[in-house]
Amino acid sequence: MRPETLVRDHTIYSCVMGSRAFGLATDGSDTDRRGVFLAPTPLFWRFDKPPTHVEGPLPEQFGWELERFCELALRANPNILECLHSPLVEHVDATGHELLALREAFLSRRAYETFTRYALGQRRKLEAGVRAHGAPRWKHAMHLLRLLASARDLLRTGRMTLDVGDARASLLEVKRGEVPWPEVEARMNRLAAEAEEALRDSPLPAEPDRRRVEDFLARVRRASALQAYADDEGVQGVVDARGVGQR
């Protein structure tokens, strides 16, 4: 089965991410689409397994196979957790609704480590830009501030909210390069400290609910296998009824 067919025919959830989901879109913003597809179970019985992710077929579109998506979400991957909480959902079927109902099962205090590690890597890139060119990539600086605030609020409340709300204006000032780099650094330091403080009393559990997610995945795989069997039986029944292949 071609990768684009998996996305076209087997997507269970898709949404818009990036600036549009964060409430930071401007006239020139792209539309980044992310999604989850469910590869039919019989495909896993072959030597060549279905892909864990697919780029496209639309521009700025990326999708994960359900199992890979769940693995990354259990690890508190920032991009994956945010995808589960996009306010701009474009498609969701019955299995997708079950996945969304599991959003809290993926959340844990692990988010502090993963968000912090990702933020540190991005900050090093920004600092390298300052050393090399005298200024960072301001759009990336804006998104790093947004990410740090998102991590802090998640740890404080136990809930993930993507839209930046009232912070939109100040973040867009950063994107336009209107805020001096030392002040941006100070904001980053403050947000990182607030996230560390929030971790101590966070309502989030220490670990995600892996068993609940695994049970969901096993149930979905089983249903897919049974559906494939039923479809095959239906086709065979039609063939037998017509006498095709009978001697």
Side-chain angles (χ1 to χ4, degrees):
M1 186 175 293
R2 295 172 62 85
E4 57 266 29
T5 302
L6 286 170
V7 174
R8 186 189 67 228
D9 296 342
H10 298 282
T11 290
I12 64 170
Y13 170 70
S14 62
C15 65
V16 172
M17 287 298 299
S19 295
R20 297 190 184 281
F22 302 141
L24 291 169
T26 57
D27 291 341
S29 295
D30 294 329
T31 300
D32 300 317
R33 289 183 166 87
R34 300 292 180 265
V36 184
F37 61 89
L38 173 63
T41 300
L43 294 182
F44 291 91
W45 300 338
R46 303 175 181 179
F47 287 121
D48 295 325
K49 307 301 182 187
T52 59
H53 59 271
V54 174
E55 284 195 61
L58 297 176
E60 308 299 332
Q61 184 179 17
F62 192 95
W64 295 268
E65 206 284 322
L66 177 61
E67 183 172 341
R68 179 59 173 166
F69 186 87
C70 289
E71 288 175 350
L72 293 172
L74 287 169
R75 297 177 193 171
N77 179 288
N79 292 324
I80 299 294
L81 292 182
E82 290 185 337
C83 181
L84 274 172
H85 292 79
S86 173
L88 303 177
V89 175
E90 292 193 317
H91 169 77
V92 59
D93 67 4
T95 305
H97 279 296
E98 287 190 69
L99 175 64
L100 293 179
L102 285 173
R103 283 185 292 195
E104 291 184 358
F106 293 109
L107 296 179
S108 71
R109 296 188 185 189
R110 286 186 180 184
Y112 174 77
E113 179 183 352
T114 55
F115 277 68
T116 299
R117 184 170 61 244
Y118 181 80
L120 181 60
Q122 294 301 304
R123 182 163 180 175
R124 286 172 176 165
K125 293 179 181 179
L126 292 172
E127 291 169 344
V130 173
R131 291 192 297 270
H133 308 291
R137 298 178 67 176
W138 291 111
K139 179 180 177 179
H140 290 194
M142 174 193 72
H143 281 298
L144 179 51
L145 287 169
R146 182 208 63 79
L147 181 75
L148 288 167
S150 179
R152 176 202 61 192
D153 294 343
L154 171 61
L155 291 163
R156 281 178 173 175
T157 67
R159 299 186 303 274
M160 176 165 284
T161 302
L162 267 62
D163 194 294
V164 299
D166 294 341
R168 172 182 163 86
S170 62
L171 287 170
L172 289 178
E173 287 176 351
V174 173
K175 181 182 179 181
R176 294 192 296 265
E178 297 172 358
V179 182
W181 173 243
E183 182 176 336
V184 173
E185 282 190 303
R187 291 186 191 179
M188 291 177 181
N189 292 337
R190 182 174 67 253
L191 288 169
E194 290 172 351
E196 184 176 6
E197 181 180 356
L199 175 65
R200 290 195 288 269
D201 299 314
S202 177
L204 290 173
E207 299 291 334
D209 193 341
R210 181 184 178 90
R211 176 60 64 84
R212 185 178 168 197
V213 174
E214 192 170 48
D215 288 346
F216 159 71
L217 182 61
R219 186 173 68 255
V220 168
R221 289 277 192 249
R222 187 180 305 111
S224 175
L226 291 172
Q227 183 61 55
Y229 175 78
D231 291 344
D232 287 345
E233 286 291 293
V235 170
Q236 187 60 49
V238 171
V239 170
D240 292 343
R242 291 177 177 174
V244 178
Q246 293 182 3
R247 296 183 180 180

